[in-house]
C-alpha cells in the first residue's frame, strides 16, 4: 500500500501499536481526516472478512496511486476520493458507499501565520483581495474555489508544493480539513500553516473508498469493504469517528464563509 509520508507518520503515532479493530475513540493527538480514513477502511475490511495484511510504502503519492489503481498494481486507496473524482475512473475501480456524505465536509482556510490579509478576513466580499491554490484534478476542491470571488486561482498539482507556496506567502491560502487536536495547525519540513479561527467552507460532495477492478483481490476486497462499512454505519461508528476527530466545525466559534443574504 502506498501512503503519503506525513499521513503515515501521524497514523503510526495515533495507533501507537494498537490493532485497528480495537480503536473506537478517534479523539487525541495526531488524528486527522486522512488517519480516520485509513483506520476506517481497515476496520471495514476486517469486519467484512478480508484479513489480508498490508505492506506500506511511503512517499509523495498524490496521483501515482490513481495510475496504480487503474493498472491493478494497487488494491485500494486508504485515502477516500471525492465522488466527482472517482466517477471518471469507474471502468477501473469499484466505488464504495459514502463515508463522508454530501453536506458533511467542511474545510478550513489554511494560511501562513504571518499573512495578515487572511487572518484579518472579516467578510465574504473581502475574498476579492486573496488568492488560493489547488488543482482541477481535485474537482470538488477546485469547483469550490472557483465559486469564491477570489483575486486569483492558482493551479499546482502536487499537494506538498501547494502547502509550501502558501507557507511562503506566494499564495494566500489553501483548503484543508480541520485538525483541532493540533490546534488547527500544520507543520512539516519548514512548512507552517494555520486555519482561520472563524471561517470554514463547505465542500459540496461526498467521499468514498475506491478499489481496483483489475487487482486479483479487488472484487473480494470490495465486497468485504461494503459489508464492513454497512456495519460501521449502522452502529454509528463512521459518524462518531469524524466527530471525535474534530472534523465537524465548532459552530460556537466558527461560521460558514458564504455570501451575505
Amino acid at each position: 500500500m502506498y501512503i503519503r509520508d506525513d499521513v503515515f507518520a501521524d497514523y503510526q503515532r495515533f495507533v501507537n501499536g494498537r490493532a485497528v479493530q480495537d480503536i473506537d475513540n478517534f479523539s487525541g493527538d495526531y488524528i486527522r481526516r486522512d488517519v480516520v480514513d485509513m483506520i476506517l477502511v481497515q476496520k471495514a475490511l476486517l469486519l467484512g472478512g478480508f484479513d489480508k495484511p498490508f505492506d506500506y510504502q511511503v512517499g509523495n503519492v498524490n496521483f501515482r496511486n490513481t495510475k496504480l489503481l487503474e493498472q491493478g498494481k494497487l488494491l485500494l486507496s486508504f485515502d477516500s476520493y471525492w465522488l466527482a473524482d472517482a466517477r471518471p475512473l469507474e471502468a477501473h475501480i469499484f466505488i464504495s458507499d459514502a463515508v463522508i456524505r454530501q453536506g458533511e465536509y467542511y474545510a478550513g482556510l489554511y494560511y501562513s501565520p504571518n499573512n495578515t490579509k487572511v487572518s484579518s478576513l472579516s467578510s465574504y466580499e473581502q475574498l476579492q483581495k486573496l488568492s488560493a491554490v489547488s488543482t482541477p484534478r481535485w474537482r470538488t476542491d477546485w469547483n469550490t474555489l472557483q465559486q469564491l470571488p477570489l483575486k486569483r486561482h492558482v493551479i499546482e498539482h502536487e499537494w506538498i508544493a501547494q502547502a509550501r507556496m502558501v507557507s511562503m506567502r506566494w499564495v494566500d491560502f489553501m483548503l484543508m480539513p480541520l485538525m483541532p487536536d493540533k490546534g488547527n495547525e500544520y507543520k512539516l519540513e519548514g512548512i507552517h500553516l494555520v486555519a482561520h479561527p472563524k471561517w470554514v467552507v463547505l465542500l459540496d460532495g461526498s467521499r468514498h473508498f475506491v478499489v481496483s477492478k483489475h487487482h486479483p483481490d479487488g472484487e473480494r476486497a470490495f465486497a468485504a469493504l461494503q459489508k464492513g462499512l454497512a456495519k460501521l454505519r449502522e452502529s454509528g461508528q463512521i459518524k462518531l469517528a469524524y466527530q471525535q476527530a474534530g472534523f465537524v466545525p465548532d459552530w460556537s466559534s466558527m461560521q460558514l464563509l458564504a455570501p451575505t443574504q
Side-chain angles (χ1 to χ4, degrees):
M1 294 300 301
Y2 294 92
I3 192 77
R4 212 172 69 207
D5 46 8
D6 60 309
V7 176
F8 187 64
D10 281 345
Y11 166 80
Q12 286 187 306
R13 294 185 187 110
F14 179 77
V15 171
N16 195 26
R18 294 175 291 173
V20 290
Q21 61 265 36
D22 296 333
I23 297 174
D24 54 14
N25 189 313
F26 288 80
S27 58
D29 294 338
Y30 309 112
I31 198 63
R32 51 196 281 190
R33 194 270 304 162
D34 322 64
V35 173
V36 177
D37 280 0
M38 194 169 174
I39 295 170
L40 286 179
V41 70
Q42 292 179 85
K43 284 174 71 80
L45 287 167
L46 289 168
L47 281 171
F50 187 88
D51 58 0
K52 191 170 183 175
F54 294 111
D55 292 322
Y56 301 106
Q57 297 291 327
V58 300
N60 187 7
V61 295
N62 272 351
F63 297 108
R64 182 175 63 184
N65 272 10
T66 297
K67 290 297 183 185
L68 293 173
L69 286 165
E70 291 176 329
Q71 296 166 0
K73 296 178 180 178
L74 180 67
L75 174 60
L76 56 87
S77 174
F78 277 158
D79 190 8
S80 58
Y81 275 52
W82 288 112
L83 182 59
D85 295 331
R87 276 182 170 157
L89 307 172
E90 279 188 291
H92 307 287
I93 60 170
F94 299 107
I95 303 172
S96 80
D97 293 335
V99 283
I100 300 176
R101 292 171 168 173
Q102 188 104 7
E104 294 180 344
Y105 195 110
Y106 295 91
L109 279 65
Y110 280 78
Y111 60 99
S112 164
N114 299 318
N115 191 327
T116 57
K117 286 195 300 180
V118 184
S119 63
S120 62
L121 180 67
S122 60
S123 71
Y124 182 84
E125 289 70 27
Q126 289 183 354
L127 287 169
Q128 297 175 39
K129 302 176 182 179
L130 303 179
S131 59
V133 61
S134 186
T135 170
R137 295 177 182 176
W138 301 335
R139 291 170 176 82
T140 302
D141 300 64
W142 186 250
N143 290 341
T144 299
L145 288 178
Q146 287 289 301
Q147 293 169 24
L148 300 179
L150 297 169
K151 179 180 179 181
R152 188 161 56 109
H153 298 83
V154 177
I155 296 176
E156 168 53 56
H157 298 307
E158 293 297 331
W159 184 89
I160 195 68
Q162 295 175 13
R164 189 167 288 113
M165 291 170 73
V166 175
S167 184
M168 297 291 289
R169 288 187 288 169
W170 297 340
V171 182
D172 289 315
F173 72 90
M174 64 189 295
L175 300 178
M176 288 170 52
L178 298 172
M179 295 178 278
D181 282 312
K182 290 186 172 184
N184 286 327
E185 193 170 17
Y186 180 84
K187 292 182 179 180
L188 177 72
E189 298 174 357
I191 295 169
H192 185 195
L193 305 177
V194 295
H196 198 285
K198 178 179 179 180
W199 300 114
V200 293
V201 174
L202 174 66
L203 273 67
D204 195 17
S206 57
R207 292 188 70 93
H208 306 249
F209 293 117
V210 300
V211 179
S212 175
K213 289 182 176 179
H214 306 306
H215 191 282
D217 293 319
E219 194 167 339
R220 184 167 69 89
F222 180 68
L225 177 62
Q226 288 287 78
K227 183 177 179 181
L229 286 176
K231 291 180 179 180
L232 291 173
R233 178 66 71 185
E234 184 179 4
S235 67
Q237 290 187 62
I238 293 178
K239 184 176 181 179
L240 183 63
Y242 290 111
Q243 286 178 335
Q244 289 177 334
F247 191 69
V248 179
D250 178 2
W251 295 118
S252 67
S253 60
M254 291 183 164
Q255 297 181 34
L256 181 64
L257 187 61
T260 53
Q261 301 297 321

